[in-house]
Structures are given as structure tokens and as C-alpha cells.
């Protein structure tokens, strides 16, 4: 396939190398981190010089080198898992059961298992490093009954305690990774060089590693206190070891009240988490680095690597995001590349670059608008809409999109209809896990108890998006006449208005199965009503406030860049656009932005939409996705103001509907 | 190089400057002055008596209540909450009757060690020992900040409205087109050091406060006179207080804030309330920020004899060590290519020129100039007036350049103790072609006894430049400078539509002839 070949190009040539570079740096940093760990773990206040000489002698012995090699292997593995599991669009669970579904997903189970094993390996290395009583799993001992002097092998519980702690910390790290979206890679608004960014976030990483280690160790001790006898008995049985009855067992209060044990526990957990977090941090920094795509290439074989072409690619998401980031930056900072965007093609004199870029940006924005409108619709009808109608709608829409394909290909902007929701919801590296269409909502949909509102929420999204220029949902047309009163403006492209043939047909079909649907709906309501009385069920299935709003804006970083890119380009066109290519699309850009503005305003009037998320003080999880909707709202307003302040009263000459003009006048008078 | 000796003599006492017209400053006597001020729609007067000041602080209110005995734990917790680690140590040391002796002795020892260490640190950076209010007064752009009725002032960059921060920690927003004047009050809004409107936005106003940064969202269509405190976003970062200076990026996307106590400058993404600290250790803090109008550079001065110029693309900085003192104030030319700054302890204005030739090259930091050039000398000059000798000149408090790049206002500190050495605003004309130079325009004076404290140019005055001055008696006046702008702003070459500024036409002749006359 052509498109996969291209995505391979980017992943192969750029992302993989960036990941390799980040892993290499993490491996290089491992040595100093290990040295610090060795010093801290063996430090004794009374003999500082002796400590240092001991550390030096330890670092030069074979076991240290072997454990260092093992640690390198673990780091490489962690880096590989980062590359495999990262995403630029966070997966947001809308209810507790959805979160549970994420945690129990096979893909996630593999991840957790891998982290457990790596945790054990790291803990073994720590045990070797700390030495002393932790070093081996068995030790020769004589049982206390005195009848025989034959030495036996006894279980060294300290060693086991440390190994299990490693497994526990690894496991909890992987669980917390899901809960806090640790695999989400966010892009920063402030561009900095990699070294400076690393240096800037290093204190935070140290702090949150230490804090998380503390919590993990606390939890682990509680678990071990109650359940510690199980692994102990199992290990004794399989390895044929004995329990030494003369020492305190560790799953007792007296055994756990050992400060040096707790300190070693905590420092090795911190070491483990710190190395992993550093790997993650480096991966994030390297992957989100700006990549400069050429605007146009003089060689046709490089054409698929150029910005206008890359923007329209759907897979991988990281490519689309980096392309949009590059667009936003070039529109702000580099006049020479802007010049290429405004330029005309050499034979023919068409503004292909500009057209392709605006098409893609506008379709992204229109897509978001439709999602918002659909969501608002479902919420305002409180999920009581006919849910089966969506199924038939979906069918018809897919049919129409197929039939409309040839027609669309003839239209001047074929890139537009390539847009499917995949490009919006898809994860960058699609694993076997979730169908990319519904990533934010999947677990809910799979469960039989999902609220119909959610089902309908996802359904419109995938039914409208393919070729939204040609298919209009009937109930959208009905319920939100205000938003769609000006279809050509609102869709922001030159595609033909909905053909009369395709629109009524779903209407007819939806009226048919409605009685059956009503019956099923009623039964389901009854079941739901029954279940809703059970507290646990309620707890699991209640929607988390503002989570659906977050999910709706999960990929809004792309929209933010699209808005910034468009508005800066339009602003620059005021003085730099020599051929007037921007003027032709100015009405549709303004229309698209104003419609989106209206939809966003309406969305923020919903309950929970404008409530601020609680700031998580220190965790490696990136909470940037929780505030994306606020960022989008601010960027949208600024983008419109940027255009209105640049053009001023000249905008009165732009063709647009009366309603949009009224809206724009508000902006011209600074009253928004 | 321009000096004050070329200026026309200050007005005799009782006369106030009204405006500049036909290339000369017009004045009026004090008798017709009030009338004149009444007619001005935005002229405001805040008598000191009208403000209800709260002279108590949190700690002093404690004395008003009866002392009742709390347990040691409660007191320790309260001390930890109020005073942090040192507060806790202090509390333990003081209650030596209740705690074991070894604990109180050790905490006393730790406290002494901490104090010794902080005094060592303070001797390195003396400003760290100042109290929060003193720090505001020291590093503010406002002359004599602590005694000033109007503590901060900001014009909206696009619309005709402005915000005034008063001595009683309230902020009022005046808009000639609307009857309501919203008053902003917030629990955390104390000791306002600076206010600034967000560009490309109608409603957002950033306020630098004692402990945090507030961003108010004041709906321009709302009729409410007291917006609730839920309209304000609170931005805070541990260790980043008191905030003495803020600057919005001209594109409205980022906000930078500075605190003399924090070596990091914070770059905020206000919508998502996330900040990125840009840490540079040298200098011991950041006191004053100014973002160039084209958005490419940020001036950040420190309490030491050092300032930095950040480029905003990749956020790298150039260090500029000064010889004598810290950089007190600075301002950018409208195209962002020239930076004027003044250094504490010196009486000259320096200029730095940045070429933006590297703007197209993405990875390269812009190569700055090698040395600063002196463009004006403001050393003390004696003028003989009817009232006797007046000495003008000396150290400079702040600089302000009008958005067309034609007038530069300089607030001179003067000496409040000595008679005949008033604080005064000197206004220069600037021109960039063929070489950059400052030419004298005149002094701006107010009512007798009123000192200028704060000044700002209107960001888009149609007929020239409009200087807004806040006086020590609580009056705010506006001094228009009517002229035809010769320096056409940078965009708008042939073929593209010109800016919506009707008065604009090539008017070199008007200014040219007059300048030569003055120079000869």
C-alpha cells in the first residue's frame, strides 16, 4: 500500500533513529546514575572514606559489570516498550469500568508482565550492588535443633523481599502508566534545545521518582505483610530451601521495622523508577523535537516527504502532528518558507501548496466542529435519541461515501475525502489493541451497560466524517439549523453541497425500524434502571465528570496547530502574498473558524466542560491533555483576532453570511 | 549624541504641558488647567483620601486576638504552614519548655546555621534580604512605588480602554464607551507591581501580585461592576514570588513573569496554566521584562550588573554584563531591531541593534551586536527659569517608546529631598534614517507639586502619540503629541493594502526641516 509505505518512510528514517538516540543517551547516563546509587546505598555516615573505597572496588569487580550489562539490557527494553506503546493522542477512560478495561487489556497485560520481569532484574542488580545480606538467595545454615551438623541451604528472605519489591514497583509503574497516561507524548509550546529541556525537567524527574518510590514501597510493605508467606513458601518449595527459624521472618511487624531495610528498599525503588523515567523523558524529548519538512521539493521522488503531502497522511499520527507543528512554526518564524507556501507551481501557476495546506487544516477544524455539534446534540437530548438509527445511518453513510467517491475524486481537492476518523482517533503506532476508530471510548462500547449517550457519541463521529461534504446527518440538519445554515461556509471548502438524493434516503430508512428499536430501547432502559440501583455498578459505570469533554478534545493539539498555522499564514499574507492566493480562501477560513468558535462556546456552556482539572503535583504522567480544550479555546479566539486586527475594515469586503458578519463585527470591536 | 542642554527650558511653576502641536509643546497655566482636565474624557483623579487602605498585614492581626494556648503540635503545624521549615524550627526553639532539650537545642543550631548560610547567600545577592514590598519598590518601573496612589497602569493594546491598579490593591477598568467601570478585587491580589492586557484578546488582563500571578477575564460586554474572583486564573510556581514584572508575547500566546527571588524566568501557557521555568543562575533573579514588539526577543534584567536578551524561537539567551549597575529599564523599537536601555547609576541611554537577518535560518540563534552604543546623555543640567535655577537630569527611572517609533519618553528620577531638582519627563524625538539618533522635544510637566510617577504610550493613537502620565497626587493625564508619522511601519510594501491609518502619508518634509532648525 502506498500510504503505509510512506508512513514506513517516516517511522523508519526518523522516529526509529530518534528512539535509538534516546535509548543510547539513557544507556550512557546509566553509568553515572549507577555510581550515585552505589554510593548512596553503601553510604555510612561514620566511615565516609571507607565507603568510597569500597564503592570503587565494587565497581571494578565482575559482578558489577555483569549487573551493569543487565541494566543496559533493561533500559533498552524499556526504551523499546516506550517506542511501542507511546501515543500522541491520550486514551481517556470515560468511566471506571473503561479504566478497568484498559488495565485488563491483553496488550496492557503484556506490558505489565514485561515491567514485572524487568523490575525483578533491576532488583537483582540492586541486591548485588548493595551486597551484604541481600546478595544471594540462599545461604548455608544449620538448623537449630542441634541433632545434625550437616549444613543446609536456607532462604535469604532479604533477597527475596528485594526481588519481589522490584516486581511490585515495576507492576505498579505500569498500572500508574495507564491511569496517568504516561505513554502520552505531549508537545510543548515553548521550544527549547534538547539539552536544556532535559536539564530543566531533571529535578522534577528526581522528585517524582523518589515520591513514587516512597508510595510504592509503602504499598508493597502492606501487601507483603499480609501475603508475603505465599511467595516465600513457593520459593522454598521450588528451590528446596529451608526457612531459618532463628531469624525474624520479614512478614512480621518486628521484621519490617528495620530502618536500613526500608532505606535500601526505597533507594532501590527510586533507582529503578529513575532510570525508567529518564528513559521515558529522553524518549519524549527526542520524539517531539521539531522536524523540518521541505515545503516543496525539486525532485519528484521526494514529493511525498513534502509538507503539503505529509499533512494529509493519516498514519502514523506522529507524522501528522510533527507536520502540523512544523507548519505552525514556519508560519510564525520563517518568511522564506512562508514564501514557498504562497508560491505558485512552476508550470501552470496553481497555488498547490497553499491549497493542500488549507484543505487539510480546514478539514481538521470542520471535523472538530462536527464532533462538538454531535456531542452537544447527544448531551442536550440526554441520550434519549433513537440509538438504533445510528446503525442504519452508518450503513447508509458508508454506502454514500463509497458511491460518492468518484464524484469526489473529480472535485478539485481530493485530499479532503481521504479524511476518515482514523486520522483523528488513530494511535500513532496501532497495536493489536483497540480499533482506532473509537479509541477514547472503546471499553465503554464493548460493555453491554454502556450509556446510550456514549454509544451515540461515537457513532455520529464515524458516520459523519467520511466525506462530510457529501453526507449530512439528518438529525444534525434538524437540530442545529443555526450552525448549518450556511453549509458552504461552514464546511470551509468548495465541495458540493449535500446532494438531495443522498440526504432523504437515511431518513426513510430510520423511520422503518423505529418501533422495534423503541421496544429494545425500553427493555434496555429497564435493565439499566434495575442495575443502576446497585452501588457497585453505579460506581463502575458512572461517567467521570469532564472525562467525555477531555476525550472530545484529546487530539486538539493538532487543531491548535492548524489554527495557529492558518492564522499566522493569513496574517503574513497581508504583506507577503504576492499572487493573492490567500484571498480566495479567506472567506472559508473565517467561516470555518467562526463556526468552530460557536461550537466551542456552546460546548463550554455544558456542565463540567469549563471546570478546571485538579493539578497533579508530581507525576511523570503528562496532564497536558486535560487542559487542551482551554488551550484550544484561547488559540481559536486569538487566531480570529489575529486575522481581524491584521485586516481590519478590509474584512467588510469579504463575502460571508450575515450571521458570520455579525459575529465578526464583535471581534472587530473587541467585544468577544 | 543628544544631551539635555539642547532642550528648551522647563516651564515656569504653575504651567502644565498640554500637548505637542506643530512641533512644539504647548502649555497652559494652572488656572485654566482644571477645566482642561475636565474636558478630557479619560483624565482621572484618585485622591489619596478616597482610597480605603488596609494597613494591617496578616501577622499583625494576630495581636488583636486573645492569646490562647494551643498544643505544641498545633502550633508546629501552624508554623509549618505559615513560615515553612524555618518557621517550624523557630517555633520549636521558642517553646523550649515543652520540648525535650536536645530537640530545641538542635533546632536552634540548625536555625542559626540556616541563617548564617542565607546571610552568606544574601551577601552575594543583597536584594534577597529585602522584604517583599521593598523589593517591589526597588525594582518597579514606577517611581517611588510604595507611596504611589496609582501603582500600575496599562492601556489595552487594541481597544480604547485601560486598567489602573490602585494603592488599595484594587484594579479598575475604564472604557470611555461603556458606563460601567469594573473593579477587580481578589484575595491574592496584593501589592500589584504590574498589569498588562493580553494582545489579540479583548478580555484577559495579567496582574503581577505579591505571591502569584493573576489572569483576569473581564468580559467587555458584561455589566457587572464587581467580577467575581472565579473570573481570575491563579498562576503560581513554588519559589516564584514576588512577581515584579510580566510581559505578554505580542502574539498573545505566552506570558513571561519574573521575580527577583527566583533565578528562573517563567514562561506560561496561560490557557493550560502550565509554566516552563527557564533557569539561568547568574544574576540572582529577574527583575524587569520587556518583549520586543515583533516578538523575537525578550529583555530580562537581573538585580546584578547583568541583563539577558532571550530570543524566543528556541529560548536561548545572550548575556550582557554591565559595568556599573543593573539594567533599570529598557524598551524596544517598534520593529524589534533596536533596544534602548538604562543602567542604574549612570545617566546615559544605551542602544543595542539586533539584525534579524537570521530570521529565516531556523536553528541559528540570532547574532547580536558586539557592544552597546551611547545615544543620549542625560547628566544634570541647570536651567535658569523665572523661579530660579532648576537642575534636571540624573538617573533614569523608566523609558517608554511610542508605537510609531517617533517619540521616546524618559522618566528622570530627580531628587525628592533637594529643592529645584524635580522628577520630570523628558521627551525625545527619534529617527532611524540615515542614522539612529535622538533629538530633543521637550519636558512634560504637571500641576505644581505633582511628580510624574508612571507613564505609558497609547498603543494605537491615530494622530501621533499619546502619553499617559500618572502623577503623585493621584491624577492621570494624557498628553497628545500630534505629528505625522514618517516612519511607515514595516509591513505594507507596494502593492499590498496600507494599514488602516488615514493620516499616514509621506511627510518627511515636515519633520526634516524642523529638525535641521533645531540642530543648527
Amino acid at each position: 500500500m502506498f500510504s503505509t509505505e510512506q508512513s514506513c518512510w517516516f517511522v523508519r528514517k526518523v522516529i526509529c533513529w530518534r528512539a535509538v538516540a534516546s535509548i543510547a543517551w539513557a544507556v550512557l547516563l546509566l553509568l553515572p546514575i549507577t555510581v550515585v546509587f552505589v554510593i548512596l546505598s553503601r553510604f555510612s555516615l561514620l566511615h565516609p572514606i571507607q565507603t568510597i573505597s569500597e564503592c570503587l572496588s565494587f565497581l571494578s569487580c565482575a559482578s558489577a559489570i555483569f549487573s551493569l550489562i543487565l541494566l543496559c539490557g533493561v533500559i533498552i527494553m524499556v526504551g523499546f516498550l516506550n517506542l511501542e506503546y507511546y501515543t500522541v493522542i491520550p486514551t481517556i477512560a470515560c468511566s471506571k469500568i473503561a479504566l478497568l478495561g484498559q488495565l485488563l487489556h491483553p496488550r496492557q497485560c503484556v506490558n505489565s508482565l514485561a515491567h514485572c520481569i524487568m523490575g525483578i532484574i533491576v532488583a537483582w542488580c540492586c541486591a548485588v550492588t548493595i551486597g551484604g545480606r541481600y546478595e544471594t538467595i540462599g545461604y548455608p545454615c544449620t538448623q537449630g535443633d542441634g541433632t545434625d551438623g550437616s549444613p543446609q541451604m536456607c532462604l535469604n528472605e532479604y533477597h527475596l523481599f528485594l526481588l519481589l519489591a522490584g516486581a511490585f514497583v515495576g507492576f505498579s509503574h505500569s498500572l500508574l502508566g495507564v491511569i496517568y497516561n504516561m505513554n502520552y507524548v505531549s508537545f510543548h509550546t515553548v521550544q527549547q534545545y534538547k539539552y536544556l529541556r532535559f536539564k530543566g525537567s531533571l529535578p522534577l524527574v528526581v522528585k517524582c521518582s523518589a515520591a513514587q518510590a516512597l508510595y510504592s514501597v509503602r504499598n508493597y510493605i502492606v501487601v507483603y505483610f499480609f501475603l508475603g508467606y505465599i511467595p516465600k513458601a513457593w520459593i522454598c518449595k521450588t528451590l528446596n530451601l529451608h526457612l531459618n527459624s532463628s531469624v525474624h521472618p520479614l512478614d512480621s511487624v518486628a521484621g519490617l521495622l528495620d530502618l536500613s531495610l526500608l532505606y535500601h528498599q526505597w533507594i532501590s525503588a527510586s533507582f529503578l523508577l529513575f532510570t525508567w523515567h529518564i528513559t521515558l523523558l529522553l524518549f519524549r524529548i527526542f520524539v517531539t523535537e521539531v522536524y523540518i519538512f521541505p515545503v516543496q521539493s525539486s525532485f519528484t521522488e521526494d514529493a511525498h516527504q513534502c509538507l503539503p503531502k505529509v499533512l494529509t497522511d493519516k498514519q502514523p499520527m506522529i507524522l501528522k502532528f510533527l507536520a502540523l507543528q512544523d507548519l505552525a512554526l514556519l508560519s510564525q518564524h520563517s518568511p522564506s518558507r512562508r514564501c514557498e507556501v504562497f508560491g505558485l507551481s512552476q508550470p501552470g501557476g496553481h497555488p498547490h501548496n497553499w491549497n493542500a495546506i488549507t484543505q487539510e487544516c480546514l478539514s481538521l477544524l470542520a471535523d472538530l466542529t462536527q464532533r462538538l455539534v454531535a456531542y452537544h446534540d447527544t448531551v442536550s437530548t440526554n441520550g434519549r435519541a433513537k440509538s438504533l438509527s445510528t446503525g442504519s445511518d452508518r450503513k447508509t453513510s458508508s454506502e454514500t461515501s463509497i458511491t460518492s467517491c468518484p464524484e469526489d475524486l473529480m472535485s478539485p481537492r481530493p485530499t479532503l475525502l481521504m479524511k476518515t476518523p482514523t486520522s483523528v482517533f488513530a494511535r500513532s503506532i496501532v497495536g493489536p489493541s483497540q480499533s482506532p476508530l473509537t479509541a477514547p471510548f472503546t471499553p465503554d462500547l464493548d460493555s453491554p451497560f454502556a450509556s446510550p449517550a456514549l454509544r451515540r457519541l461515537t457513532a455520529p463521529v464515524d458516520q459523519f466524517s467520511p466525506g462530510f461534504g457529501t453526507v449530512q446527518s439528518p438529525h444534525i440538519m434538524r437540530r442545529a439549523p443555526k450552525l448549518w445554515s450556511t453549509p458552504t461556509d461552514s464546511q470551509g471548502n468548495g465541495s458540493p453541497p449535500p446532494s438531495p438524493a443522498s440526504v432523504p434516503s437515511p431518513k426513510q430508512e430510520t423511520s422503518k425500524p423505529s418501533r422495534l428499536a423503541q421496544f429494545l430501547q425500553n427493555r434496555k432502559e429497564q435493565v439499566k434502571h434495575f442495575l443502576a440501583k446497585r452501588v457497585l455498578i453505579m460506581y463502575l459505570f458512572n461517567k467521570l465528570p469532564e472525562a467525555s469533554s477531555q476525550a472530545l478534545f484529546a487530539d486538539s493539539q493538532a487543531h491548535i496547530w492548524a489554527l495557529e498555522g492558518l492564522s499566522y499564514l493569513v496574517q503574513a499574507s497581508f504583506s507577503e502574498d504576492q499572487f493573492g492566493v490567500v484571498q480566495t480562501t479567506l472567506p472559508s477560513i473565517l467561516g470555518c473558524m467562526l463556526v468552530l468558535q460557536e461550537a466551542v462556546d456552546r460546548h463550554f456552556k455544558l456542565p463540567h466542560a469549563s471546570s478546571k482539572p485538579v493539578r497533579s503535583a508530581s507525576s511523570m504522567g503528562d496532564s497536558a491533555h486535560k487542559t487542551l480544550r482551554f488551550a484550544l479555546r484561547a488559540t481559536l479566539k486569538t487566531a480570529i483576532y489575529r486575522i481581524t486586527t491584521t485586516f481590519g475594515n478590509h474584512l467588510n469586503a469579504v463575502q460571508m453570511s450575515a450571521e458570520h458578519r455579525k459575529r465578526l463585527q464583535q471581534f472587530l470591536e473587541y467585544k468577544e | 549624541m543628544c544631551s539635555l542642554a539642547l532642550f528648551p527650558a522647563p516651564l515656569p511653576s504653575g504651567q502644565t504641558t498640554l500637548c505637542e502641536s506643530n512641533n512644539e509643546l504647548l502649555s497652559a497655566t494652572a488656572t485654566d488647567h482644571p477645566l482642561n482636565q475636565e474636558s478630557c474624557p479619560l483624565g482621572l483623579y484618585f485622591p489619596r483620601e478616597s482610597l480605603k487602605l488596609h494597613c494591617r498585614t496578616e501577622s499583625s492581626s494576630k495581636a488583636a486576638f486573645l492569646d490562647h494556648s494551643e498544643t505544641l503540635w498545633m502550633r508546629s503545624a501552624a508554623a509549618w504552614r505559615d513560615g515553612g521549615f524555618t518557621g517550624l524550627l523557630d517555633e520549636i526553639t521558642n517553646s523550649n519548655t515543652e520540648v525535650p532539650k536536645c530537640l530545641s537545642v538542635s533546632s536552634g543550631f540548625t536555625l542559626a546555621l540556616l541563617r548564617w548560610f542565607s546571610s552568606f547567600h544574601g551577601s552575594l545577592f543583597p536584594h534577597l534580604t529585602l522584604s517583599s514590598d521593598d523589593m517591589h519598590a526597588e525594582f518597579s518601573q514606577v517611581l517611588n512605588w510604595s507611596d504611589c496612589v496609582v501603582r500600575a497602569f496599562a492601556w489595552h493594546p487594541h481597544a480604547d480602554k485601560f486598567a489602573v491598579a490602585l494603592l488599595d490593591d484594587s484594579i479598575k477598568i475604564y472604557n470611555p464607551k461603556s458606563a460601567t467601570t469594573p473593579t477587580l478585587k481578589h484575595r491574592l491580589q496584593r501589592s500589584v507591581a504590574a498589569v498588562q492586557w493580553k494582545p489579540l484578546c479583548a478580555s484577559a488582563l495579567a496582574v503581577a501580585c505579591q505571591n502569584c500571578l493573576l489572569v483576569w477575564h473581564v468580559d467587555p460586554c458584561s455589566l457587572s461592576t464587581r467580577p467575581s474572583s472565579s473570573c481570575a486564573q491563579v498562576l503560581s510556581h513554588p519559589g516564584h514570588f514576588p512577581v515584579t514584572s510580566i510581559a505578554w508575547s505580542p502574539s498573545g500566546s505566552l506570558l513571561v513573569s519574573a521575580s527577583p527571588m527566583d533565578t528562573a524566568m517563567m514562561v506560561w501557557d496561560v490557557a493550560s496554566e502550565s509554566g516552563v521555568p527557564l533557569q539561568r543562575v547568574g544574576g540572582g533573579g529577574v527583575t524587569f521584562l520587556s518583549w520586543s514588539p515583533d516578538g523575537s526577543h525578550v529583555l530580562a534584567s537581573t538585580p546584578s550588573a547583568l541583563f539577558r536578551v532571550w530570543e524566543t524561537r528556541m529560548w536561548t539567551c545572550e548575556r550582557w554584563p554591565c559595568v556599573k549597575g543593573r539594567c533599570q529599564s529598557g524598551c524596544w523599537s517598534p520593529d524589534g531591531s533596536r533596544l534602548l536601555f538604562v543602567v542604574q547609576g549612570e545617566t546615559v541611554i544605551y542602544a543595542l541593534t539586533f539584525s534579524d537577518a537570521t530570521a529565516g535560518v531556523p536553528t541559528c540563534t540570532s547574532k547580536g551586536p558586539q557592544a552597546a552604543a551611547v545615544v543620549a546623555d542625560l547628566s544634570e543640567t541647570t536651567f535658569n527659569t523665572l523661579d530660579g535655577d532648576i537642575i534636571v537630569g540624573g538617573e533614569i527611572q523608566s523609558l517608554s517608546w511610542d508605537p510609531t517609533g517617533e517619540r521616546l519618553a524618559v522618566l528622570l528620577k530627580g531628587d525628592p529631598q533637594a529643592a529645584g531638582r524635580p522628577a520630570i519627563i523628558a521627551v525625545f524625538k527619534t529617527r532611524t534614517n540615515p542614522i539612529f539618533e535622538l533629538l530633543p522635544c521637550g519636558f512634560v510637566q504637571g500641576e505644581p507639586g505633582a511628580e510624574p510617577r508612571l507613564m505609558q504610550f497609547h498603543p494605537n493613537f491615530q494622530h501621533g502619540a499619546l502619553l499617559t502620565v500618572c502623577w503623585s497626587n493621584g491624577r492621570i493625564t494624557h498628553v497628545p503629541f500630534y505629528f505625522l508619522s514618517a516612519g511607515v511601519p514595516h509591513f505594507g510594501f507596494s502593492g499590498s493594502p496600507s494599514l488602516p491609518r488615514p493620516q499616514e502619508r509621506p511627510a518627511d518634509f515636515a519633520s526634516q526641516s524642523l529638525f535641521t532648525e533645531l540642530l543648527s
Side-chain angles (χ1 to χ4, degrees), chain A residues 438-453:
Chain A
T438 52
F441 314 105
T442 313
D444 260 11
L445 280 181
D446 293 343
S447 75
F449 309 112
S451 74

Side-chain angles (χ1 to χ4, degrees), chain A residues 318-339:
Chain A
I318 183 82
L319 174 61
K320 196 181 185 70
F321 271 61
L322 283 173
L324 281 166
Q325 185 185 30
D326 187 38
L327 174 71
L329 288 176
L330 89 86
S331 64
Q332 272 182 69
H333 294 297
S334 86
S336 58
R337 296 178 70 205
R338 277 200 300 259
C339 193

Side-chain angles (χ1 to χ4, degrees), chain A residues 119-198:
Chain A
I120 292 178
I121 296 172
V122 175
W124 185 81
C125 295
C126 290
V128 170
T129 310
I130 299 170
R133 56 183 180 176
Y134 302 100
E135 201 155 0
T136 53
I137 192 154
Y139 63 98
C141 60
T142 50
Q143 282 298 21
D145 40 2
T147 50
D148 59 318
S150 67
Q152 287 175 315
M153 285 306 276
C154 282
L155 174 72
N156 181 4
E157 203 181 347
Y158 292 104
H159 187 84
L160 180 69
F161 189 71
L162 214 58
L163 289 194
L164 287 176
F168 184 86
V169 173
F171 183 69
S172 66
H173 170 80
S174 128
L175 285 193
L176 286 178
V178 175
I179 293 168
Y180 293 129
N181 265 314
M182 231 182 261
N183 62 342
Y184 166 56
V185 175
S186 73
F187 291 81
H188 283 260
T189 40
V190 176
Q191 300 293 324
Q192 274 181 284
Y193 286 110
K194 291 195 288 278
Y195 166 68
L196 293 172
R197 177 169 290 174
F198 177 75

Side-chain angles (χ1 to χ4, degrees), chain B residues 168-231:
Chain B
D168 61 351
D169 292 337
S170 68
I171 294 178
K172 287 182 193 294
I173 294 172
Y174 289 90
N175 186 347
K177 286 179 194 150
S178 99
T180 56
T181 50
T183 306
L184 311 179
K185 284 187 183 175
H186 195 281
R187 189 172 49 86
L188 295 170
Q189 186 172 293
R190 277 186 291 170
S191 317
V192 176
V195 292
Q196 198 175 16
W197 292 91
K198 178 180 176 180
L200 298 178
C201 181
S203 57
L205 175 74
V207 182
C209 308
Q210 195 175 36
N211 291 322
C212 63
L213 201 60
L214 291 175
V215 180
W216 285 93
H217 294 270
V218 191
D219 185 1
C221 302
S222 160
L223 294 174
S224 145
T225 52
R226 273 294 300 272
S228 80
S229 54
S230 67
C231 297

Side-chain angles (χ1 to χ4, degrees), chain B residues 11 214 229 256 274 341 414 434:
Chain B
L11 299 170
L214 291 175
S229 54
V256 291
S274 64
F341 66 94

Side-chain angles (χ1 to χ4, degrees), chain A residues 193 568 575 615 627 642 670, chain B residues 158 251 272-273 315 363 493:
Chain A
Y193 286 110
Y568 276 114
S575 57
R615 324 215 103 241
T627 48
R642 190 168 291 136
Y670 293 96
Chain B
H158 311 288
S251 65
S272 56
E273 296 187 5
W315 290 99
T363 52
F493 55 85

Side-chain angles (χ1 to χ4, degrees), chain A residues 188-193 196 199-200 207 290 292 329-330 332-337 564 568 571 573-576 578 612 615 624 627-628 630-632 634-635 637-639 641-642 645-650 666 669-672, chain B residues 156 158-159 161 198-203 219-221 233 238 251-254 267-274 276-280 295 311-316 359-365 491-493 496-500:
Chain A
H188 283 260
T189 40
V190 176
Q191 300 293 324
Q192 274 181 284
Y193 286 110
L196 293 172
K199 205 179 78 177
K207 212 170 77 183
V290 178
I292 294 168
L329 288 176
L330 89 86
Q332 272 182 69
H333 294 297
S334 86
S336 58
R337 296 178 70 205
E564 282 187 354
Y568 276 114
Q571 184 186 33
S573 78
F574 191 76
S575 57
E576 291 176 11
Q578 300 181 26
K612 299 266 177 198
R615 324 215 103 241
T627 48
L628 271 178
F630 302 106
L632 179 93
T635 311
K637 229 172 221 179
T638 309
Y641 269 122
R642 190 168 291 136
T645 39
T646 311
F647 283 81
N649 289 323
H650 298 293
Q666 294 275 309
E669 289 167 4
Y670 293 96
K671 285 196 171 157
E672 268 298 320
Chain B
H156 191 277
H158 311 288
K161 63 177 173 183
K198 178 180 176 180
L200 298 178
C201 181
S203 57
D219 185 1
C221 302
Q233 279 176 286
S251 65
S253 52
L254 297 173
V267 183
W268 297 95
D269 182 0
V270 172
S272 56
E273 296 187 5
S274 64
V276 178
L278 298 175
Q279 188 97 35
R280 293 291 186 278
E311 60 84 29
T312 58
R313 180 86 203 263
M314 295 303 284
W315 290 99
T316 53
V361 184
T363 52
C364 178
T365 58
F491 34 94
F493 55 85
S496 63
S498 67
L499 274 187

